[in-house]
């Protein structure tokens, strides 16, 4: 398997927006505690949690990517892949894997403990109680799948249906109980590797390359200057065949008119001048 990176500028743009959101949330936490000394402590604790969660997530994603290196070289993988959404923003996918057996948008959750889910509504166990989880990982993964399909499908043709999967992987959870969730939920990296290897083949190597290039060259359209770029590409393709046939019919028309108007070979020059004036 090959690991491919997207544009560093794209990553920097996304990270800057994430930092802005974290800063806003930090200020909200500070204000909710009345500001001052306790507000600073609360804001610092919130920032520590964010860093801690990010480190845990990165460790899980890096370990999983290491295990998947045994897949064929025709497969490609993007870590923290960024995909444009309708609102001209980006959404992040932990691991985006593209191979002959499909496209896998993998959401990695390094949650500890016991969890249950019914129809994408999640709860975690705390002692003898089950507490509702605010952010549903299966709903998040389903959202990634829909956004990816809306972005990539208009750009490709001739691809089979049902080749995009969005599993959620819990590598360190103690217990998970799932009922009627919208995407596959896997406990441990071994279940993911089995899913990748056992899925039926549906994409050719050429199709894998086409999709991987789209992801690699993804751009965020957050400014009016970038929007014409997408329209200019098809124009170049359309203009190239139009220019080649245009010169060919013109001489044919001139020759036809000359044959109809005057058969003698001594009058080609006047006929050519009239055509040029027109």
């Amino acid at each position: 398997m090959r690991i491919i990176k997207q544009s560093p500028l794209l990553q920097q743009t996304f990270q800057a927006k994430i930092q802005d959101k974290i800063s806003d949330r930090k200020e909200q936490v500070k204000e909710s505690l009345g500001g001052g000394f306790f507000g600073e402590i609360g804001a610092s604790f919130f920032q520590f949690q964010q860093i801690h969660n990010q480190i845990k997530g990165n460790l899980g994603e890096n370990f999983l990517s290491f295990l998947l290196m045994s897949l064929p070289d025709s497969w490609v993988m993007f870590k923290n892949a960024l995909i444009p959404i309708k609102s001209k923003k980006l959404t992040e996918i932990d691991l985006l894997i593209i191979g002959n057996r499909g496209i896998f948008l993998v959401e990695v959750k390094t949650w500890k403990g016991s969890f249950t889910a019914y129809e994408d509504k999640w709860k975690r166990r705390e002692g003898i109680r089950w507490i509702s989880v605010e952010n549903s990982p299966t709903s998040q993964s389903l959202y990634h799948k829909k956004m990816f399909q809306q972005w990539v499908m208009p750009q490709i043709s001739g691809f089979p249906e049902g080749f995009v999967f969005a599993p959620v992987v819990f590598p360190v959870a103690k217990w998970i109980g799932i009922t009627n969730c919208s995407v596959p939920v896997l406990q441990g990296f071994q279940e993911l590797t089995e899913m990748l290897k056992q899925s039926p083949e549906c994409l050719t190597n050429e199709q894998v390359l086409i999709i991987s290039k789209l992801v690699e060259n993804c751009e965020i359209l957050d400014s009016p200057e970038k929007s014409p770029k997408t329209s200019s590409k098809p124009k170049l393709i359309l203009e190239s065949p139009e220019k080649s046939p245009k010169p060919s019919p013109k001489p044919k028309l001139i020759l036809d008119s000359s044959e109809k108007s005057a058969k003698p070979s001594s009058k080609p020059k006047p006929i050519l001048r009239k055509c040029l004036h027109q």
Side-chain angles (χ1 to χ4, degrees):
M1 174 180 282
R2 296 176 294 117
I3 298 179
I4 302 178
K5 295 182 180 181
Q6 292 178 300
S7 166
L9 180 60
L10 187 70
Q11 294 287 342
Q12 292 172 7
T13 303
F14 179 76
Q15 290 301 324
K17 293 183 178 181
I18 292 298
Q19 290 302 321
D20 291 340
K21 289 183 178 180
I22 293 176
S23 299
D24 293 341
R25 180 57 181 158
K26 183 179 176 181
E27 289 298 322
Q28 292 176 4
V29 171
K30 182 178 178 180
E31 292 177 1
S32 65
L33 296 175
F37 177 73
F38 292 103
E40 290 291 344
I41 293 178
S44 299
F45 180 72
F46 169 78
Q47 188 173 12
F48 172 78
Q49 282 186 318
Q50 295 295 317
I51 297 174
H52 178 68
N53 293 336
Q54 185 176 6
I55 293 174
K56 284 176 57 181
N58 290 338
L59 288 175
E61 294 161 16
N62 290 335
F63 183 69
L64 176 57
S65 63
F66 175 76
L67 294 178
L68 297 176
M69 293 304 294
S70 60
L71 291 171
D73 292 338
S74 58
W75 287 57
V76 298
M77 176 170 57
F78 295 86
K79 296 181 182 179
N80 304 115
L82 300 175
I83 302 300
I85 56 180
K86 281 185 176 181
S87 55
K88 296 184 179 180
K89 296 181 181 179
L90 294 167
T91 186
E92 186 179 42
I93 301 170
D94 292 340
L95 294 174
L96 197 161
I97 304 170
I98 308 171
N100 302 108
R101 301 183 184 274
I103 299 175
F104 301 85
L105 316 177
V106 183
E107 181 72 20
V108 181
K109 292 298 182 186
T110 54
W111 294 358
K112 294 182 179 180
S114 300
F115 300 88
T116 182
Y118 176 74
E119 295 183 348
D120 297 329
K121 296 179 180 179
W122 285 74
K123 293 182 179 180
R124 70 176 185 274
R125 185 174 182 178
E126 292 187 2
I128 61 174
R129 298 185 303 163
W130 289 92
I131 309 300
S132 297
V133 176
E134 183 178 355
N135 297 319
S136 168
T138 49
S139 296
Q140 180 182 9
S141 196
L142 179 62
Y143 173 77
H144 287 163
K145 179 180 178 180
K146 290 180 178 179
M147 292 300 101
F148 181 84
Q149 289 176 325
Q150 289 180 9
W151 171 68
V152 75
M153 293 307 293
Q155 304 183 69
I156 60 177
S157 60
F159 280 68
E161 295 183 358
F163 66 96
V164 181
F165 308 92
V168 182
V169 183
F170 291 82
V172 295
K174 182 179 179 181
W175 179 85
I176 297 177
I178 306 299
T179 306
N180 296 336
C181 284
S182 54
V183 297
V185 178
L186 310 175
Q187 188 170 5
F189 294 139
Q190 184 176 356
E191 291 187 11
L192 176 63
T193 56
E194 290 176 357
M195 178 182 182
L196 296 177
K197 294 179 180 179
Q198 294 177 3
S199 297
E201 291 191 4
C202 55
L203 298 177
T204 64
N205 290 341
E206 183 180 1
Q207 291 173 329
V208 171
L209 179 62
I210 291 173
I211 299 175
S212 63
K213 284 296 182 183
L214 287 175
V215 177
E216 182 181 3
N217 300 324
C218 170
E219 294 183 358
I220 182 172
L221 303 178
D222 58 351
S223 63
E225 296 178 356
K226 291 185 179 181
S227 56
K229 289 184 179 180
T230 55
S231 59
S232 62
K233 290 180 180 179
K235 284 182 179 179
L236 291 174
I237 296 173
L238 292 173
E239 285 173 2
S240 57
E242 288 177 359
K243 287 180 180 178
S244 56
K246 280 182 180 179
S248 57
K250 286 182 179 179
K252 287 182 180 179
L253 291 174
I254 295 169
L255 291 173
D256 291 342
S257 60
S258 62
E259 291 175 359
K260 290 180 181 180
S261 58
K263 291 183 180 180
S265 58
S266 60
K267 296 183 179 181
K269 292 182 180 180
I271 294 171
L272 287 174
R273 289 195 188 100
K274 290 180 180 179
C275 293
L276 289 173
H277 286 303
Q278 292 177 355

CSV table of all heavy atoms in Angstrom, one decimal, residues 129-166:
chain,number,residue,atom,x,y,z
A,129,ARG,N,-24.9,3.2,35.2
A,129,ARG,CA,-25.7,4.0,34.3
A,129,ARG,C,-25.2,4.0,32.9
A,129,ARG,O,-24.0,3.8,32.7
A,129,ARG,CB,-25.8,5.4,34.9
A,129,ARG,CG,-26.4,5.6,36.3
A,129,ARG,CD,-26.5,7.0,36.7
A,129,ARG,NE,-25.2,7.7,36.6
A,129,ARG,CZ,-25.0,9.0,36.6
A,129,ARG,NH1,-26.1,9.8,36.6
A,129,ARG,NH2,-23.8,9.6,36.5
A,130,TRP,N,-26.1,4.3,32.0
A,130,TRP,CA,-25.7,4.5,30.6
A,130,TRP,C,-26.0,6.0,30.2
A,130,TRP,O,-27.2,6.4,30.3
A,130,TRP,CB,-26.5,3.6,29.7
A,130,TRP,CG,-26.1,2.2,29.8
A,130,TRP,CD1,-26.6,1.2,30.7
A,130,TRP,CD2,-25.1,1.5,29.1
A,130,TRP,NE1,-26.0,0.0,30.5
A,130,TRP,CE2,-25.0,0.2,29.6
A,130,TRP,CE3,-24.2,1.9,28.1
A,130,TRP,CZ2,-24.1,-0.8,29.1
A,130,TRP,CZ3,-23.2,1.0,27.6
A,130,TRP,CH2,-23.2,-0.3,28.1
A,131,ILE,N,-25.0,6.7,29.8
A,131,ILE,CA,-25.1,8.1,29.5
A,131,ILE,C,-25.0,8.3,28.0
A,131,ILE,O,-24.2,7.7,27.3
A,131,ILE,CB,-23.9,8.9,30.2
A,131,ILE,CG1,-23.8,8.5,31.7
A,131,ILE,CG2,-24.1,10.4,30.0
A,131,ILE,CD1,-25.0,8.8,32.5
A,132,SER,N,-25.9,9.2,27.5
A,132,SER,CA,-26.0,9.5,26.1
A,132,SER,C,-24.7,10.2,25.6
A,132,SER,O,-24.2,11.0,26.3
A,132,SER,CB,-27.2,10.4,25.8
A,132,SER,OG,-28.4,9.7,26.1
A,133,VAL,N,-24.2,9.8,24.5
A,133,VAL,CA,-23.1,10.4,23.8
A,133,VAL,C,-23.6,11.5,22.9
A,133,VAL,O,-24.4,11.2,22.0
A,133,VAL,CB,-22.2,9.3,23.1
A,133,VAL,CG1,-21.1,10.0,22.3
A,133,VAL,CG2,-21.8,8.2,24.0
A,134,GLU,N,-23.0,12.7,23.0
A,134,GLU,CA,-23.5,13.8,22.2
A,134,GLU,C,-23.2,13.6,20.7
A,134,GLU,O,-24.1,13.8,19.9
A,134,GLU,CB,-22.8,15.1,22.7
A,134,GLU,CG,-23.3,16.3,22.0
A,134,GLU,CD,-22.6,17.6,22.6
A,134,GLU,OE1,-21.8,17.5,23.6
A,134,GLU,OE2,-22.8,18.7,22.0
A,135,ASN,N,-22.0,13.2,20.4
A,135,ASN,CA,-21.6,13.1,18.9
A,135,ASN,C,-21.6,11.6,18.5
A,135,ASN,O,-20.8,10.9,19.0
A,135,ASN,CB,-20.3,13.7,18.7
A,135,ASN,CG,-20.3,15.2,19.0
A,135,ASN,OD1,-21.2,15.9,18.6
A,135,ASN,ND2,-19.2,15.7,19.6
A,136,SER,N,-22.6,11.3,17.7
A,136,SER,CA,-22.7,9.9,17.2
A,136,SER,C,-21.6,9.6,16.2
A,136,SER,O,-21.5,10.2,15.1
A,136,SER,CB,-24.0,9.6,16.6
A,136,SER,OG,-24.1,8.4,15.9
A,137,PRO,N,-20.7,8.6,16.5
A,137,PRO,CA,-19.6,8.3,15.5
A,137,PRO,C,-20.2,7.7,14.2
A,137,PRO,O,-19.7,7.9,13.1
A,137,PRO,CB,-18.7,7.3,16.2
A,137,PRO,CG,-19.6,6.8,17.3
A,137,PRO,CD,-20.6,7.8,17.7
A,138,THR,N,-21.3,6.9,14.3
A,138,THR,CA,-21.9,6.3,13.1
A,138,THR,C,-22.6,7.4,12.2
A,138,THR,O,-22.5,7.3,11.0
A,138,THR,CB,-22.8,5.2,13.4
A,138,THR,OG1,-23.8,5.7,14.4
A,138,THR,CG2,-22.1,4.0,14.0
A,139,SER,N,-23.2,8.3,12.9
A,139,SER,CA,-23.8,9.4,12.1
A,139,SER,C,-22.7,10.3,11.4
A,139,SER,O,-22.9,10.7,10.3
A,139,SER,CB,-24.7,10.3,13.0
A,139,SER,OG,-25.8,9.6,13.5
A,140,GLN,N,-21.6,10.5,12.1
A,140,GLN,CA,-20.5,11.2,11.6
A,140,GLN,C,-19.9,10.5,10.3
A,140,GLN,O,-19.6,11.1,9.3
A,140,GLN,CB,-19.4,11.5,12.6
A,140,GLN,CG,-18.2,12.2,12.1
A,140,GLN,CD,-17.2,12.4,13.2
A,140,GLN,OE1,-17.2,11.7,14.2
A,140,GLN,NE2,-16.2,13.2,12.9
A,141,SER,N,-19.8,9.2,10.5
A,141,SER,CA,-19.2,8.4,9.4
A,141,SER,C,-20.2,8.4,8.2
A,141,SER,O,-19.7,8.4,7.0
A,141,SER,CB,-18.9,7.0,9.8
A,141,SER,OG,-18.0,6.4,8.9
A,142,LEU,N,-21.5,8.3,8.4
A,142,LEU,CA,-22.4,8.3,7.4
A,142,LEU,C,-22.4,9.7,6.6
A,142,LEU,O,-22.6,9.7,5.4
A,142,LEU,CB,-23.8,8.1,7.9
A,142,LEU,CG,-25.0,8.1,6.9
A,142,LEU,CD1,-24.8,7.0,5.9
A,142,LEU,CD2,-26.3,8.0,7.6
A,143,TYR,N,-22.2,10.7,7.4
A,143,TYR,CA,-22.1,12.1,6.8
A,143,TYR,C,-20.9,12.2,5.9
A,143,TYR,O,-21.0,12.7,4.8
A,143,TYR,CB,-22.0,13.1,7.9
A,143,TYR,CG,-21.7,14.5,7.4
A,143,TYR,CD1,-22.7,15.3,6.9
A,143,TYR,CD2,-20.4,15.1,7.6
A,143,TYR,CE1,-22.4,16.6,6.4
A,143,TYR,CE2,-20.1,16.3,7.1
A,143,TYR,CZ,-21.1,17.1,6.6
A,143,TYR,OH,-20.9,18.4,6.2
A,144,HIS,N,-19.8,11.6,6.3
A,144,HIS,CA,-18.6,11.6,5.5
A,144,HIS,C,-18.8,10.8,4.2
A,144,HIS,O,-18.4,11.3,3.1
A,144,HIS,CB,-17.4,10.9,6.2
A,144,HIS,CG,-16.9,11.7,7.3
A,144,HIS,ND1,-16.1,11.2,8.3
A,144,HIS,CD2,-17.0,13.1,7.6
A,144,HIS,CE1,-15.7,12.2,9.2
A,144,HIS,NE2,-16.2,13.3,8.7
A,145,LYS,N,-19.6,9.7,4.3
A,145,LYS,CA,-19.9,8.9,3.1
A,145,LYS,C,-20.7,9.7,2.1
A,145,LYS,O,-20.4,9.7,0.9
A,145,LYS,CB,-20.6,7.6,3.5
A,145,LYS,CG,-21.0,6.8,2.3
A,145,LYS,CD,-21.7,5.5,2.8
A,145,LYS,CE,-22.1,4.6,1.6
A,145,LYS,NZ,-22.8,3.4,2.1
A,146,LYS,N,-21.7,10.4,2.6
A,146,LYS,CA,-22.6,11.2,1.7
A,146,LYS,C,-21.9,12.3,1.1
A,146,LYS,O,-22.0,12.6,-0.1
A,146,LYS,CB,-23.8,11.7,2.5
A,146,LYS,CG,-24.8,10.6,2.9
A,146,LYS,CD,-26.0,11.2,3.7
A,146,LYS,CE,-27.0,10.2,4.1
A,146,LYS,NZ,-28.1,10.7,4.9
A,147,MET,N,-21.0,13.0,1.9
A,147,MET,CA,-20.3,14.2,1.3
A,147,MET,C,-19.3,13.7,0.3
A,147,MET,O,-19.1,14.4,-0.7
A,147,MET,CB,-19.6,14.9,2.5
A,147,MET,CG,-20.5,15.6,3.4
A,147,MET,SD,-21.5,16.9,2.6
A,147,MET,CE,-23.1,16.1,2.4
A,148,PHE,N,-18.6,12.6,0.5
A,148,PHE,CA,-17.6,12.1,-0.4
A,148,PHE,C,-18.3,11.7,-1.7
A,148,PHE,O,-17.8,12.0,-2.8
A,148,PHE,CB,-16.9,10.8,0.2
A,148,PHE,CG,-15.9,10.3,-0.7
A,148,PHE,CD1,-14.6,10.8,-0.8
A,148,PHE,CD2,-16.2,9.2,-1.6
A,148,PHE,CE1,-13.6,10.3,-1.6
A,148,PHE,CE2,-15.2,8.7,-2.4
A,148,PHE,CZ,-13.9,9.2,-2.4
A,149,GLN,N,-19.5,11.0,-1.7
A,149,GLN,CA,-20.2,10.6,-2.9
A,149,GLN,C,-20.6,11.8,-3.6
A,149,GLN,O,-20.6,11.8,-4.9
A,149,GLN,CB,-21.3,9.7,-2.5
A,149,GLN,CG,-20.9,8.3,-2.0
A,149,GLN,CD,-22.0,7.4,-1.6
A,149,GLN,OE1,-23.0,7.9,-1.0
A,149,GLN,NE2,-22.0,6.2,-1.8
A,150,GLN,N,-21.2,12.8,-3.0
A,150,GLN,CA,-21.6,14.0,-3.6
A,150,GLN,C,-20.5,14.8,-4.3
A,150,GLN,O,-20.7,15.4,-5.3
A,150,GLN,CB,-22.3,15.0,-2.6
A,150,GLN,CG,-23.7,14.4,-2.2
A,150,GLN,CD,-24.3,15.4,-1.2
A,150,GLN,OE1,-23.9,16.5,-1.0
A,150,GLN,NE2,-25.4,14.9,-0.6
A,151,TRP,N,-19.3,14.7,-3.8
A,151,TRP,CA,-18.2,15.4,-4.3
A,151,TRP,C,-17.5,14.6,-5.5
A,151,TRP,O,-17.2,15.1,-6.5
A,151,TRP,CB,-17.1,15.6,-3.3
A,151,TRP,CG,-15.8,16.1,-3.8
A,151,TRP,CD1,-15.5,17.3,-4.4
A,151,TRP,CD2,-14.5,15.4,-3.8
A,151,TRP,NE1,-14.2,17.4,-4.8
A,151,TRP,CE2,-13.6,16.2,-4.5
A,151,TRP,CE3,-14.2,14.1,-3.4
A,151,TRP,CZ2,-12.3,15.8,-4.7
A,151,TRP,CZ3,-12.8,13.7,-3.6
A,151,TRP,CH2,-11.9,14.6,-4.2
A,152,VAL,N,-17.4,13.3,-5.3
A,152,VAL,CA,-16.6,12.5,-6.3
A,152,VAL,C,-17.5,12.0,-7.5
A,152,VAL,O,-17.0,11.9,-8.6
A,152,VAL,CB,-15.9,11.3,-5.6
A,152,VAL,CG1,-16.9,10.2,-5.3
A,152,VAL,CG2,-14.8,10.8,-6.5
A,153,MET,N,-18.8,11.7,-7.3
A,153,MET,CA,-19.6,11.0,-8.3
A,153,MET,C,-19.7,11.9,-9.5
A,153,MET,O,-19.7,11.4,-10.7
A,153,MET,CB,-20.9,10.6,-7.8
A,153,MET,CG,-20.8,9.5,-6.7
A,153,MET,SD,-19.9,8.0,-7.3
A,153,MET,CE,-21.0,7.4,-8.6
A,154,PRO,N,-20.0,13.3,-9.4
A,154,PRO,CA,-20.1,14.1,-10.6
A,154,PRO,C,-18.8,14.2,-11.4
A,154,PRO,O,-18.9,14.6,-12.6
A,154,PRO,CB,-20.5,15.5,-10.1
A,154,PRO,CG,-21.0,15.2,-8.7
A,154,PRO,CD,-20.3,14.0,-8.2
A,155,GLN,N,-17.7,13.8,-10.9
A,155,GLN,CA,-16.4,13.9,-11.6
A,155,GLN,C,-16.0,12.6,-12.3
A,155,GLN,O,-15.0,12.6,-13.0
A,155,GLN,CB,-15.3,14.3,-10.6
A,155,GLN,CG,-15.6,15.6,-9.9
A,155,GLN,CD,-14.5,16.0,-9.0
A,155,GLN,OE1,-13.4,16.4,-9.4
A,155,GLN,NE2,-14.7,16.0,-7.7
A,156,ILE,N,-16.7,11.5,-12.0
A,156,ILE,CA,-16.3,10.2,-12.6
A,156,ILE,C,-17.6,9.6,-13.3
A,156,ILE,O,-18.7,10.0,-13.1
A,156,ILE,CB,-15.8,9.2,-11.5
A,156,ILE,CG1,-16.9,9.0,-10.5
A,156,ILE,CG2,-14.5,9.8,-10.9
A,156,ILE,CD1,-16.5,8.0,-9.4
A,157,SER,N,-17.3,8.6,-14.2
A,157,SER,CA,-18.4,7.9,-14.8
A,157,SER,C,-18.0,6.5,-15.1
A,157,SER,O,-16.8,6.1,-15.1
A,157,SER,CB,-18.7,8.6,-16.2
A,157,SER,OG,-17.6,8.6,-17.0
A,158,GLY,N,-18.9,5.6,-15.2
A,158,GLY,CA,-18.6,4.2,-15.4
A,158,GLY,C,-18.2,3.4,-14.2
A,158,GLY,O,-17.7,2.3,-14.3
A,159,PHE,N,-18.5,4.0,-13.0
A,159,PHE,CA,-18.1,3.3,-11.8
A,159,PHE,C,-19.3,2.5,-11.3
A,159,PHE,O,-20.4,2.9,-11.4
A,159,PHE,CB,-17.6,4.3,-10.8
A,159,PHE,CG,-16.2,4.8,-11.0
A,159,PHE,CD1,-15.9,5.5,-12.0
A,159,PHE,CD2,-15.2,4.4,-10.1
A,159,PHE,CE1,-14.6,6.0,-12.2
A,159,PHE,CE2,-13.9,4.8,-10.3
A,159,PHE,CZ,-13.6,5.6,-11.3
A,160,PRO,N,-19.0,1.4,-10.6
A,160,PRO,CA,-20.1,0.6,-10.1
A,160,PRO,C,-20.8,1.2,-8.9
A,160,PRO,O,-20.3,2.2,-8.3
A,160,PRO,CB,-19.4,-0.7,-9.6
A,160,PRO,CG,-18.0,-0.3,-9.3
A,160,PRO,CD,-17.7,0.8,-10.3
A,161,GLU,N,-22.0,0.7,-8.5
A,161,GLU,CA,-22.7,1.3,-7.4
A,161,GLU,C,-22.2,0.5,-6.1
A,161,GLU,O,-21.8,-0.6,-6.2
A,161,GLU,CB,-24.2,1.1,-7.6
A,161,GLU,CG,-24.8,1.9,-8.7
A,161,GLU,CD,-26.3,1.8,-8.8
A,161,GLU,OE1,-26.8,1.0,-8.0
A,161,GLU,OE2,-26.9,2.4,-9.7
A,162,GLY,N,-22.4,1.2,-5.0
A,162,GLY,CA,-22.0,0.6,-3.7
A,162,GLY,C,-20.6,0.3,-3.5
A,162,GLY,O,-20.3,-0.8,-2.9
A,163,PHE,N,-19.7,1.1,-4.0
A,163,PHE,CA,-18.3,0.8,-3.8
A,163,PHE,C,-17.6,1.7,-2.7
A,163,PHE,O,-16.4,1.7,-2.5
A,163,PHE,CB,-17.5,1.0,-5.1
A,163,PHE,CG,-17.5,2.5,-5.6
A,163,PHE,CD1,-16.4,3.3,-5.4
A,163,PHE,CD2,-18.5,2.9,-6.4
A,163,PHE,CE1,-16.4,4.6,-5.8
A,163,PHE,CE2,-18.5,4.2,-6.9
A,163,PHE,CZ,-17.4,5.1,-6.6
A,164,VAL,N,-18.5,2.5,-2.0
A,164,VAL,CA,-18.0,3.4,-0.9
A,164,VAL,C,-18.5,2.8,0.4
A,164,VAL,O,-19.7,2.6,0.6
A,164,VAL,CB,-18.4,4.8,-1.1
A,164,VAL,CG1,-17.9,5.7,0.0
A,164,VAL,CG2,-17.9,5.3,-2.5
A,165,PHE,N,-17.6,2.6,1.4
A,165,PHE,CA,-17.9,2.1,2.7
A,165,PHE,C,-17.4,3.0,3.7
A,165,PHE,O,-16.3,3.7,3.5
A,165,PHE,CB,-17.3,0.7,2.9
A,165,PHE,CG,-17.7,-0.3,1.8
A,165,PHE,CD1,-16.8,-0.4,0.7
A,165,PHE,CD2,-18.8,-1.0,1.8
A,165,PHE,CE1,-17.1,-1.3,-0.3
A,165,PHE,CE2,-19.2,-1.9,0.8
A,165,PHE,CZ,-18.3,-2.0,-0.3
A,166,ALA,N,-18.1,3.1,4.9
A,166,ALA,CA,-17.6,4.1,5.9
A,166,ALA,C,-17.7,3.4,7.3
A,166,ALA,O,-18.5,3.7,8.1
A,166,ALA,CB,-18.6,5.3,5.9
